[in-house]
Amino acid sequence: GTTQSGVACKAALGQAVVASVVCKPQGELGTEEFKMDFSEADKPISPWHNIPLEAGNGLYNMVTEIPKMTKAKMEIDTKADFNPIKQDMKKGKVRYYHGPIFWNYGCLPQTWEDPNIKGDDNVGGAFGDNDPLDVVEIGSATLEMGSITAVKPLGVLSMIDDGELDWKLIAINANDPKASEINDVEDIEKHYPGTVSGIREWFRWYKTPDDKPVNGFGHGEKALGKADAVKVIEETHKHYKDMMSGAADKGKLWTP
């Protein structure tokens, strides 16, 4: 079936676009054939390129790839036409986490971590991971795969995975009952205790069952606050715009 995506309450500029996006699953979940396509007015669109980054009022649109408490490693296919959501493949098999992720996980449209740009000393000079900016959404509701949700940025962790910088934006659904009380990274502990350290440890350890080393973090492993999170969003949006204008090399990524 097709699901209309949710629209933030008090829908601001840009949200009308989101209200008309339809996502449609094709093929069987858990197989290489599965994909979730996005369209608007019966025309195919890309969840990465055609959904606005900003949702108005300091909020941003998040595309959910992996709903909380699920294990299938779903992601926007940045190299395929119109960037459908597909299950990641490793050695010819569809990929699963070894245990569920405890938060909704997705990315921000129109952002990109440029692999040609070297990070500063805080991240050990790691280069971008060539993907849109990842989002870990900590609210109480489960967000469906393919849904588009206005989120409030709260903080950011600079994860370093195999020498690549892979920022994890920590955010909350703008419609979460606690959203109005959680405005920065310090507020998370008060309302959802253990969440920030939980996210850090989950991402530190999740690849170790595959005989991979633990992941590291820059900035002394600290979760940076909202102001830094917004800076990371702006920086990855700038990298994205540079890719679209041809100022940065997009390699094999698909662009409209």
Side-chain angles (χ1 to χ4, degrees):
T2 60
T3 51
Q4 241 8 51
S5 70
V7 187
C9 63
K10 300 201 195 61
L13 309 143
Q15 287 303 93
V17 177
V18 171
S20 56
V21 173
V22 173
C23 47
K24 194 161 145 214
Q26 321 263 9
E28 195 183 334
L29 192 56
T31 69
E32 193 179 350
E33 285 70 46
F34 175 86
K35 62 179 185 146
M36 183 169 271
D37 290 323
F38 290 72
S39 62
E40 193 185 357
D42 293 328
K43 287 194 185 70
I45 64 164
S46 157
W48 184 22
H49 300 299
N50 300 121
I51 289 164
L53 169 60
E54 296 191 16
N57 304 327
L59 305 176
Y60 297 88
N61 284 316
M62 168 188 178
V63 178
T64 295
E65 295 162 309
I66 306 175
K68 64 155 73 175
M69 303 304 166
T70 65
K71 293 196 288 197
K73 177 84 178 77
M74 310 304 299
E75 56 186 25
I76 286 177
D77 185 344
T78 54
K79 296 183 173 111
D81 290 8
F82 294 103
N83 313 118
I85 293 177
K86 299 194 69 160
Q87 192 162 354
D88 194 25
M89 302 286 296
K90 264 265 157 72
K91 299 188 175 120
K93 289 194 171 74
V94 291
R95 196 172 148 209
Y96 291 91
Y97 290 137
H98 291 276
I101 186 165
F102 309 122
W103 308 276
N104 297 297
Y105 189 56
C107 65
L108 293 188
Q110 300 190 31
T111 61
W112 180 50
E113 298 197 45
D114 188 342
N116 310 297
I117 290 184
K118 189 177 164 74
D120 63 16
D121 290 347
N122 286 311
V123 295
F127 288 83
D129 79 341
N130 201 29
D131 276 326
L133 177 59
D134 292 323
V135 187
V136 183
E137 191 282 317
I138 64 170
S140 51
T142 297
L143 302 176
E144 281 181 63
M145 188 198 309
S147 61
I148 300 158
T149 307
V151 298
K152 180 197 276 196
L154 302 170
V156 71
L157 284 162
S158 52
M159 187 176 101
I160 298 166
D161 174 359
D162 201 8
E164 290 183 335
L165 176 58
D166 187 3
W167 290 105
K168 302 296 178 195
L169 178 71
I170 303 169
I172 190 163
N173 180 349
N175 288 334
D176 189 84
K178 303 231 170 133
S180 60
E181 300 166 69
I182 305 181
N183 296 300
D184 213 320
V185 77
E186 297 81 49
D187 303 329
I188 299 174
E189 196 57 30
K190 210 180 316 170
H191 297 280
Y192 288 125
T195 298
V196 175
S197 58
I199 292 168
R200 188 191 295 114
E201 294 314 315
W202 195 92
F203 280 104
R204 190 194 307 276
W205 289 95
Y206 82 107
K207 286 188 174 177
T208 59
D210 297 319
D211 290 329
K212 293 266 176 66
V214 292
N215 285 323
F217 294 88
H219 298 91
E221 306 205 338
K222 196 166 147 315
L224 306 176
K226 177 168 187 149
D228 284 306
V230 170
K231 265 189 213 149
V232 170
I233 296 169
E234 287 169 352
E235 198 170 285
T236 53
H237 183 49
K238 183 192 180 299
H239 295 165
Y240 172 83
K241 287 193 296 197
D242 286 345
M243 167 178 75
M244 296 306 283
S245 72
D249 177 13
K250 70 175 185 179
K252 297 190 171 120
L253 303 175
W254 184 85
T255 55

